[in-house]
Amino acid sequence: MAEHRLRQLPASFLTLETSGETETGQLADDIAMILKAGDVVCLSGDLGAGKSTFARALIRTFAADVGLEVPSPTFTLVQTYEFPRFDLSHFDLYRLEEPEELEELGLEDLLETGAALIEWPERAESLLPRDALWIQIVQPDEETDNRRFVFHSENPDWQQRIEQTLGVRDFLENAGLGSANRRFLAGDASLRTFESIASISGRSVLMRWPFREGTVSEDVRAYMTRVHLAQDCRSVLAIGSELRRRGIRAPETFSADLENGLVLSEDFGSETIVVDGRPDPARYRVAIDILVHLHRQSWPESVRLKEGGTYEVPHYSDAALIAEAALFLDWYVPEISGDPVDASLRAEFAALWHQNLDRISGAQRGWVLRDFHSPNLLWQEAAGGIDRIGLIDLQDTVIGPVAYDVASLLLDARTEMSVELETSLYDAYVSGMEKQSPGFDRASFSDAYSVMAVQRVSKILGIFVRLARRDAKPAYLSHLPRMIGYLDRVLERPGMSGLKDWYGRFRF
C-alpha cells in the first residue's frame, strides 16, 4: 500500500472531551443536527480511536433509528444511505491505493445531493474540499471510553454552526434535558428548524430560530416585512400563550431563550386531521368548532410576554394581501406561459385586488392564524371537545378578515376537499357563528370567504411553483391541479365575475 503524507490541517478552533459512549453519542446528535447537503466531515485518528463508532452514531441519528445496521465500508470504500432529509455517504479510505481513486468513488456527484462522512481522510491528501470540517478523535486512555475531539476547518461557518448546536445542548441542559436525544424534524430550507427531543421524561419539540443580521438576504427580509411575516420567536410565545388562555390548544412552552431564538415546547405528535390521505369529516368538524370559538371572541392587538415586553400583532394590510396574491404572477403565470409578467398586467392585477378588498372591507376582522390547514392541525385522540386538535405554526398570525382561515381549511392545499365536504363544513361554520356570535352577517361572510379563497389559492399556486423551481422540490407541482380546481370552484361563487373574467384569461 502506498505511503501517504498527513495533510496539514488548519488551526483547531475547538477541543471537546467526552466521557463514555453516551456522551460521544450526544455529540454525534449535535453534529447531525447542523449538517447540510454538500458538507464533508473528515474523521481522523488512529486505529481504535473511535472514528467508526462516531460515524455510526451520527448516521443512526440521521436515520432516527438507533438499531439501523451501519456496516463498515472498509472493503466497499463507500456506503450511501438515502434519507428524506438528504443522502449521507460514509467513506472509509484506509484501503485507498492512490488519492486519485477518490474521484472514481464519485464524491463530487454524491455531494450534489447529500453530505459525506470520511474516515481516514488523510489518504485522499489534497483532493478533499478545503472547506471541509476535520475532526481529530483521540482516545487518551485505552482503558476507558473517554474521547477527545479536536475540530479544524478553513471555513469559519463551521465554527459558528458548531457553536450554535452546542449552545442548543447547553439550553437543553439548563432545561433539565442535557442528556436527551436530538432528532431532526423539519426545516433545512427554512429560517426555522425543528427537532424532536426525547428523554426519560417524554418528548418535546425544539424550535431553532436564529434570526439575526445576515441570516437572510435584505430582499427576503423586506418581503417578510411587507407581508407581515414574523421575524423572531417572540411571536410564537405571544400567540401561543394567548390562545391557550382563551381555551385553544396551542403547544405549552417549557423553556425559551429569546436572544438565541430557542423555544422548547409541547409535542403534539404527527397525526393530523387527514386519515389515510383523505380528509376525515369528523376531525374537520372539530377544526370548524375551533374557528367558531376563535371568531366569536375579540382578540388583542398587543400581547404581554411573561419573558418581558410585548408583542404587537400586525394588521393584514391590503398591500400584504396583494403582495401575497401576486406570487401567482411571479411564479405560476410564467410557469404556464413561459414569459414573465409585464408591468401593465401587474398594475391591472393590483387595481382589481384593491377593488375586491375594498368590497369586503366591512367583513369581520380578528386574529387570522394564516396557515390553518391539515399539516398544522394535530389530532389528540385522548382529548375531548376542541382540545382534540392541537395547533402549530402560529407565528405569522395577523389581524385581518377571519374568513381567510375558513377558506384555508375548507380548500385545504394538501388534500382533496370535495364540493360536498366544503359545503357541509361551510354550513357548519355559518350555523355555529349564528348561534354563538350575535350580529354575525352571513352575506358579508360569504363575500369575504370568496375573495379570501381566491387570494389564498393564488398565493399557494405561486408558492408551490417557487418551491418546485427555485428550491428544487418538484413534488409540489403535483398539487397544482387540485389548487386550480379550487380556483375554478370559488370563481363560480356569486359576486366573483370580475375576478373570474380576469383569471379566465389564463389557460390553467
Side-chain angles (χ1 to χ4, degrees):
M1 181 173 290
E3 293 293 327
H4 296 273
R5 58 184 174 83
L6 180 66
R7 174 174 177 168
Q8 183 65 41
L9 296 181
S12 65
F13 61 82
L14 178 68
T15 298
L16 296 175
E17 305 274 351
T18 63
S19 178
E21 189 173 330
T22 299
E23 288 189 8
T24 297
Q26 290 170 8
L27 180 59
D29 282 4
D30 296 340
I31 301 302
M33 292 304 101
I34 58 171
L35 283 186
K36 302 175 182 178
D39 283 344
V40 173
V41 178
C42 301
L43 303 176
S44 178
D46 295 334
L47 281 170
K51 301 183 296 297
S52 295
T53 299
F54 185 79
R56 188 173 294 114
L58 193 152
I59 292 169
R60 287 173 174 164
T61 292
F62 222 80
D65 181 359
V66 296
L68 179 69
E69 185 70 22
V70 183
S72 171
T74 300
F75 293 100
T76 60
L77 298 185
V78 60
Q79 175 70 45
T80 296
Y81 301 84
E82 296 182 357
F83 296 124
R85 186 177 167 195
F86 51 79
D87 297 346
L88 197 57
S89 297
H90 181 196
F91 290 78
D92 186 329
L93 305 185
Y94 184 74
R95 297 178 60 251
L96 202 70
E97 291 289 345
E98 297 293 339
E100 289 73 16
E101 293 178 34
L102 182 62
E103 297 178 358
E104 299 176 11
L105 297 178
L107 175 62
E108 186 175 342
D109 292 337
L110 291 171
L111 292 179
E112 292 182 2
T113 58
L117 305 176
I118 302 180
E119 298 184 46
W120 297 99
E122 298 87 356
R123 297 187 180 277
E125 296 187 353
S126 61
L127 295 181
L128 295 175
R130 298 198 65 83
D131 62 353
L133 174 67
W134 285 68
I135 306 177
Q136 288 185 301
I137 305 176
V138 179
Q139 185 181 20
D141 184 349
E142 294 184 0
E143 301 301 319
T144 71
D145 287 331
N146 296 350
R147 295 290 189 275
R148 179 183 303 125
F149 295 81
V150 185
F151 294 80
H152 310 253
S153 183
E154 293 184 8
N155 185 353
D157 179 61
W158 274 115
Q159 181 171 354
Q160 182 181 32
R161 287 158 67 184
I162 290 174
E163 287 175 352
Q164 287 176 350
T165 194
L166 296 179
V168 170
R169 182 63 68 177
D170 290 341
F171 171 77
L172 294 174
E173 179 74 38
N174 292 334
L177 299 172
S179 61
N181 293 323
R182 300 169 61 186
R183 298 292 183 265
F184 179 86
L185 278 180
D188 268 327
S190 71
L191 299 177
R192 298 172 296 143
T193 57
F194 296 87
E195 300 176 14
S196 174
I197 306 300
S199 69
I200 58 174
S201 61
R203 291 186 176 275
S204 51
V205 172
L206 173 73
M207 181 185 73
R208 293 194 292 135
W209 194 350
F211 199 94
R212 297 172 177 166
E213 292 294 331
T215 306
V216 297
S217 69
E218 288 303 314
D219 288 343
V220 171
R221 186 184 292 271
Y223 178 78
M224 293 178 71
T225 300
R226 186 181 183 191
V227 300
H228 318 309
L229 296 179
Q231 301 193 18
D232 62 56
C233 66
R234 293 181 309 118
S235 60
V236 174
L237 303 178
I239 301 301
S241 64
E242 187 66 16
L243 288 173
R244 289 193 303 275
R245 193 174 74 83
R246 305 287 195 96
I248 295 177
R249 190 164 189 173
E252 179 183 355
T253 299
F254 302 135
S255 185
D257 179 345
L258 297 183
E259 182 178 353
N260 292 300
L262 301 175
V263 177
L264 186 69
S265 60
E266 185 178 4
D267 186 355
F268 286 152
S270 58
E271 186 177 358
T272 74
I273 59 175
V274 172
V275 178
D276 296 330
R278 299 176 63 85
D280 185 298
R283 295 184 180 189
Y284 272 77
R285 279 297 304 269
V286 177
I288 286 293
D289 292 342
I290 292 174
L291 289 178
V292 171
H293 183 82
L294 180 73
H295 296 164
R296 67 180 177 82
Q297 303 182 58
S298 296
W299 293 83
E301 296 187 8
S302 179
V303 179
R304 185 172 298 279
L305 296 167
K306 70 176 183 179
E307 293 80 8
T310 58
Y311 176 74
E312 303 298 325
V313 184
H315 283 262
Y316 212 175
S317 66
D318 286 0
L321 287 161
I322 294 171
E324 288 183 334
L327 292 172
F328 179 84
L329 302 180
D330 298 336
W331 293 95
Y332 180 76
V333 172
E335 175 74 10
I336 63 169
S337 69
D339 297 312
V341 174
D342 61 30
S344 62
L345 188 60
R346 287 184 179 278
E348 185 181 334
F349 182 83
L352 179 65
W353 272 103
H354 276 297
Q355 182 182 34
N356 279 274
L357 293 173
D358 285 345
R359 182 164 65 88
I360 66 167
S361 60
Q364 181 185 347
R365 297 176 67 84
W367 273 19
V368 177
L369 305 186
R370 219 173 189 176
D371 277 307
F372 195 87
H373 61 161
S374 56
N376 299 328
L377 305 176
L378 302 179
W379 187 249
Q380 311 297 297
E381 183 64 38
I386 62 174
D387 277 350
R388 286 178 290 177
I389 290 179
L391 276 57
I392 61 171
D393 205 6
L394 307 165
Q395 72 283 342
D396 294 323
T397 293
V398 289
I399 297 172
V402 299
Y404 182 97
D405 280 346
V406 184
S408 177
L409 177 68
L410 272 53
L411 301 174
D412 198 318
R414 300 304 182 92
T415 188
E416 194 69 40
M417 301 290 290
S418 67
V419 174
E420 293 76 17
L421 182 56
E422 179 197 0
T423 301
S424 173
L425 295 172
Y426 181 95
D427 291 343
Y429 174 83
V430 170
S431 176
M433 288 297 292
E434 287 179 333
K435 290 177 181 177
Q436 298 191 39
S437 182
F440 175 75
D441 187 333
R442 178 190 287 253
S444 176
F445 173 76
S446 177
D447 287 343
Y449 175 84
S450 300
V451 174
M452 288 296 94
V454 176
Q455 193 274 352
R456 170 81 177 173
V457 172
S458 298
K459 175 172 74 171
I460 297 299
L461 282 167
I463 288 174
F464 282 173
V465 174
R466 183 177 68 188
L467 285 165
R469 301 310 182 200
R470 188 193 70 182
D471 301 333
K473 297 181 179 181
Y476 280 94
L477 296 178
S478 66
H479 298 300
L480 297 187
R482 176 188 309 122
M483 301 311 298
I484 291 301
Y486 291 160
L487 184 60
D488 288 341
R489 185 191 304 178
V490 76
L491 288 172
E492 293 297 328
R493 291 176 60 86
M496 300 300 288
S497 58
L499 284 168
K500 179 182 178 181
D501 291 344
W502 193 90
Y503 279 87
R505 293 158 58 182
F506 299 92
R507 293 181 61 190
F508 298 138

